[in-house]
């Protein structure tokens, strides 16, 4: 009598050792890509370059550059807005690059990177 519904220990043509090797290879590539991204720097600018913010691939602010003309004691709010805009732009650049690089590896599997 034929058995129905059981697990045969694998799919036809699939070798568990090969699957593990592929998984380990992908994990290594993901790790290498994350390390590469962490070493990168992303620049955000506002006010025509009067405010520049640099963010590392580890999502840390590493540099703030202010043009002397951007510093107006009578208009601190504008400077604050430019700093926020530049920082957000740098972080957005980082996020887009990260998604693009990880997407290449995951093939759009939606792993949340």
């Amino acid at each position: 009598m034929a058995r129905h519904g059981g697990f045969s220990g694998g799919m036809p043509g699939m070798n568990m050792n090969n699957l593990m090797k592929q998984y380990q290879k992908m994990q290594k590539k993901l790790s290498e890509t994350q390390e590469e991204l962490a070493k990168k720097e992303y620049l955000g600018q506002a006010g025509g370059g009067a405010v520049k913010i640099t963010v590392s691939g580890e999502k840390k602010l590493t540099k703030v550059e202010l043009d002397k003309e951007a510093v107006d004691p009578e208009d601190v709010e504008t400077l604050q807005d430019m700093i926020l805009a530049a920082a957000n732009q740098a972080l957005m650049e980082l996020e887009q690059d990260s998604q693009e690089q990880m997407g290449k590896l995951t093939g759009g599997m939606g792993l949340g990177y």
Side-chain angles (χ1 to χ4, degrees):
M1 181 188 300
R3 293 179 60 186
H4 295 285
F7 181 71
S8 65
M11 295 175 10
M14 298 294 281
N15 180 322
M16 194 58 139
N17 286 335
N18 286 341
L19 285 175
M20 286 303 293
K21 286 178 184 178
Q22 288 177 339
Y23 173 77
Q24 290 170 345
K25 184 177 178 181
M26 184 177 187
Q27 283 295 102
K28 183 179 178 186
K29 284 184 180 181
L30 283 170
S31 179
E32 289 171 352
T33 300
Q34 287 172 329
E35 288 176 21
E36 288 174 20
L37 287 168
K39 293 176 186 176
K40 287 186 174 183
E41 290 189 331
Y42 301 87
L43 176 67
Q45 299 183 57
V51 174
K52 297 177 184 177
I53 303 284
T54 304
V55 176
S56 74
E58 296 175 314
K59 298 182 182 179
K60 295 180 182 177
L61 295 175
T62 58
K63 191 175 192 181
V64 176
E65 295 178 70
L66 303 175
D67 188 306
K68 289 181 181 181
E69 294 175 13
V71 182
D72 180 357
E74 300 296 321
D75 191 10
V76 174
E77 291 81 16
T78 298
L79 178 58
Q80 291 169 338
D81 289 343
M82 287 191 295
I83 291 170
L84 285 173
N88 285 328
Q89 180 188 19
L91 289 169
M92 187 170 48
E93 294 285 332
L94 180 156
E95 186 63 30
Q96 288 174 346
D97 189 33
S98 179
Q99 286 181 4
E100 182 180 313
Q101 296 303 317
M102 291 301 180
K104 289 178 185 178
L105 294 176
T106 63
M109 290 188 290
L111 297 178
Y113 292 99

